Amino acid sequence: MVTPNSQHNNPLHGLTLEFILTELVTHYGWANLFERIPLKCFVHEPSIKSSLKLLRKTPWAREKVEGLYGFMLREQRRDSVGQPSINPWMIDKQ
């Protein structure tokens, strides 16, 4: 049994498959998404609707998409940590 507090470390908790797929398409694009997860729905007349239909019926494909979303989040977090922060008090006022 899953208690409400047991999902606090799950980055997918509360996210719909449609949201996850839309974020991946926005970040990678259809062609790059197909290179990472070779599913026909990502290359042959790709659309969110047709991809969702396949992903809802195919658990292993859904797992791959969810895994790639987790990887994307970690990659974005790593990149944002590596960026130097700009301190507005240190900028020369000329």
Side-chain angles (χ1 to χ4, degrees):
M1 182 170 149
V2 177
T3 61
N5 293 333
S6 68
Q7 293 290 320
H8 70 281
N9 286 331
N10 182 355
L12 302 179
H13 180 68
L15 301 180
T16 64
L17 185 56
E18 182 176 7
F19 175 82
I20 292 169
L21 184 59
T22 302
E23 289 291 306
L24 288 172
V25 170
T26 301
H27 185 77
Y28 293 112
W30 288 110
N32 202 348
L33 191 55
F34 175 73
E35 288 177 14
R36 294 171 183 274
I37 305 172
L39 295 172
K40 190 176 179 181
C41 65
F42 293 160
V43 73
H44 180 69
E45 297 180 22
S47 73
I48 297 292
K49 185 177 178 181
S50 66
S51 299
L52 286 173
K53 188 174 181 178
L54 173 89
L55 293 171
R56 288 182 178 130
K57 292 180 180 180
T58 316
W60 64 265
R62 181 183 181 135
E63 287 177 18
K64 288 190 176 284
V65 166
E66 289 172 345
L68 181 60
Y69 181 73
F71 174 78
M72 181 189 78
L73 291 178
R74 289 187 301 276
E75 191 177 55
Q76 288 175 339
R77 216 174 306 123
R78 184 193 70 229
D79 290 346
S80 69
V81 170
Q83 298 291 328
S85 60
I86 297 174
N87 184 343
W89 305 110
M90 301 298 290
I91 299 175
D92 291 330
K93 295 180 182 178
Q94 298 177 356

